[in-house]
Amino acid sequence: MIENNELFYKISLEDIKIILDKCHAKTLKFKKDEVVITPGSFLNEFGIILSGNLMGLYDDYWGNRTILTILKENDMFGEAFALSRQLNVGVSVVSVSDSEVLFIDYDKFINLENKQIIKNMLKILSEKNVFLTSKIECLSKRSIRSKLLSYLSDFALKKNTNEFKIPFNRQELADFLGVDRSALSSELSKLQKEKILKFNKNEFKLL
């Protein structure tokens, strides 16, 4: 599975083993709801999910929670904080299910002489920047309807289909968009009555 990870694109299995050894790679297991990264921590390593699912969360000073991202098997996380050398403020990563994560020491990683893996890391960081730009554009909308339609439209365009399943339940979608759950449910019902979309739980069809 690691061989198919974006980070190791065009890198042989033999070289991957050498890289992981040089970077002091280690695997850790987490139970469901266990915290993988705590707010206020200083990260000197990043992770790749070997199994299970994780969720990136942001809690502000007053305890309001926003879902930043859903992380699935083979996804990478923590590299931006490790690279910036900044204290992780407010961001946590929680295991949604029993999971196993491969952690790689970032200081050892950036001193690797393998140019391909550095190129791969830059590509991953660029793609995540594009995703965050897209999310900012969505959250900048003033109304719940505009935020919701912006998110669903972007999802449909990326999947190249008008029928799709989103990775959130209703509460998680509300947290992702930064809106009230009941208000979100009300807006969804209105959109369905207006025949703009159809939905069943987390399955959507744009009309």
Side-chain angles (χ1 to χ4, degrees), residues 27-30 48-52 95 97-102:
T27 58
L28 294 176
K29 293 183 178 181
F30 299 91
I48 296 174
I49 303 172
L50 300 178
S51 64
S95 187
S97 61
D98 288 353
S99 57
E100 186 173 11
V101 178
L102 174 73

Side-chain angles (χ1 to χ4, degrees), residues 65 71 116:
R65 171 161 289 185
L71 298 161
Q116 182 62 47

Side-chain angles (χ1 to χ4, degrees), residues 9 14 21 29-31 38 48 57 72 76 81 96 111 114 123 150 152 162-163 192-193 198 202 204:
Y9 176 66
E14 183 179 339
D21 184 55
K29 293 183 178 181
F30 299 91
K31 297 291 186 182
T38 57
I48 296 174
L57 304 168
K72 59 185 184 303
M76 189 168 71
F81 281 113
V96 180
N111 287 317
N114 189 309
K123 182 175 182 293
S150 177
L152 294 175
N162 69 321
E163 295 186 59
Q192 185 156 253
K193 287 179 182 178
K198 289 182 179 179
N202 66 336
F204 286 83

Side-chain angles (χ1 to χ4, degrees), residues 48-63:
I48 296 174
I49 303 172
L50 300 178
S51 64
N53 294 282
L54 308 181
M55 184 181 290
L57 304 168
Y58 174 77
D59 293 300
D60 67 16
Y61 182 83
W62 294 274

